[in-house]
Amino acid sequence: MSTENKSPKTVVNSWNEWDPLKHVIVGRADGTMVQAPEPSTERDWPEHGFPLGTYGPLPREMEAKANEQLDNFANLLEARGIRVDRPAPLDFSQTVQTPDWEQKSMFGCMPPRDLLLTVGNEIIEATMSQRSRWFEYLCYRPLLEQYFKEDPFFRWEAAPKPRLTDETYKADYWRQWEKKSPEEKEKAIYAHDWILTEKEPCFDAADIGRAGKDLFVYHSSVTNRAGIDWLRRHFSNHRIHSIWFYEAHGFHIDATFVLLRPGLALSNRKRKPLTPHMLDFFKKNDWEVVECAKPALDDYPPLSFCSPWLSMNTLVLDPKTICVDAQEIEQMEQFDKLGFEVVPVEFADVSPFGGGLHCATADVYREGTCEDYFPHQIEGF
Ligand code: DAV
């Protein structure tokens, strides 16, 4: 009689963005919504059927195409010996509420990277800073429960759920923004004058770039100073570097500044780093920071809140192998010249569902340990 246990045993472990990947979560497009308006987010796409104030599921045919590309990507990873798990979508069209607020829709579960932060044997459910994404963690709970049973060393954590009352957001922010002159907008970029107040810690997991002992956190429109402070206290054995870039309402580090392998990072050619000493820090530690290639698109695709810079949104399978959106010819050529084996992945139809190849994945296991890639620190960075 066979007593073989078919379920693969989970080990949670991932310290950086490049060590050999063995187990990953790939999101699903099912039921993704153009979110109902909320203090932090407004969609205004009249030419595609969603003028300001309206909301609803993304068109079915778009969803089918995105799911096909996500499934093909999952199959490609599995064919390379990588275990792939998928989240459990909810009915994202439902109204959700807490004692403080009611929100007319949820969002989706295409981008697990936004929500799950893996550092070593720990996965943290990020706070998120949009009401429509407050309950998104539920899509990942079946997997996290399973990992918790299978890996006795897995540390399952959740950052404090934010209240997301009106005090978490600056009052009348978007109307005020529209009234600003170009000079005032410029000033706001330098002042990090984004929608979030400092009322409570907020962060998205996709604002964090991991390099062993050093974690780089984007002070973005979805991650506030308090969120970075929470991460600093939580990861007290790490060095947390708060960074920001020349971009209004930027969010998520993975289309702006991407850690590719020890000694090499890719920087957005338009969104220049604004943090004092940041580039000196990389240089001092013998890291090369290269500007990304020209992206394939000139503008946001229809119904997408993600920019053409998803060209940078790549998944590194090991320090020599990188998955890149197949439409990004120039970016693939650049990676080729930088010595990577490039794996082209058809992914353009996924963007309206919340991102590219990095967004669509969350690490569970990469080989390797926590290393110090930045032995030379700079005071004040
Ligand atoms: O810059 O377009 C992409 C979102 C990545 N999670 C951008 C953000």
Side-chain angles (χ1 to χ4, degrees), residues 114 251-252 254-255 271 305-307 310 313 354 359:
D114 295 5
F251 64 100
H252 299 170
D254 52 5
R271 302 168 171 168
F305 56 83
C306 294
S307 70
L310 283 185
N313 198 270
C359 310

Side-chain angles (χ1 to χ4, degrees), residues 272-319:
K272 307 288 182 200
L274 294 182
T275 321
H277 311 307
M278 174 173 156
L279 292 177
D280 298 337
F281 176 77
F282 279 84
K283 209 166 157 190
K284 192 170 176 185
N285 287 283
D286 293 324
W287 276 63
E288 197 186 350
V289 176
V290 294
E291 284 200 351
C292 69
K294 199 173 156 301
L297 305 178
D298 296 327
D299 206 349
Y300 289 64
L303 296 176
S304 177
F305 56 83
C306 294
S307 70
W309 301 110
L310 283 185
S311 57
M312 301 173 66
N313 198 270
T314 47
L315 183 71
V316 175
L317 300 185
D318 63 58

Side-chain angles (χ1 to χ4, degrees), residues 218-239:
Y218 186 3
H219 180 185
S220 76
S221 65
V222 293
T223 295
N224 60 10
R225 285 193 177 87
I228 299 173
D229 196 22
W230 187 88
L231 287 161
R232 188 169 279 130
R233 295 187 210 181
H234 183 82
F235 290 113
S236 52
N237 292 326
H238 289 253
R239 296 179 294 239

Side-chain angles (χ1 to χ4, degrees), residues 25-27 69-70 73 110-114 252 254-255 304-307 309-315 323-325 327 345-362:
I25 299 171
V26 173
Q69 293 187 339
L70 285 157
F73 179 42
M110 197 303 286
R113 186 78 60 181
D114 295 5
H252 299 170
D254 52 5
S304 177
F305 56 83
C306 294
S307 70
W309 301 110
L310 283 185
S311 57
M312 301 173 66
N313 198 270
T314 47
L315 183 71
C323 294
V324 186
D325 182 337
Q327 72 180 339
V345 182
E346 296 292 343
F347 222 61
D349 295 323
V350 179
S351 149
F353 295 81
L357 293 157
H358 195 255
C359 310
T361 52

Side-chain angles (χ1 to χ4, degrees), residues 58 115 141 173 204 284 349 366 369:
L58 283 156
L115 196 120
R141 280 294 170 92
Y173 179 83
D204 273 17
K284 192 170 176 185
D349 295 323
R366 287 183 191 264
T369 53

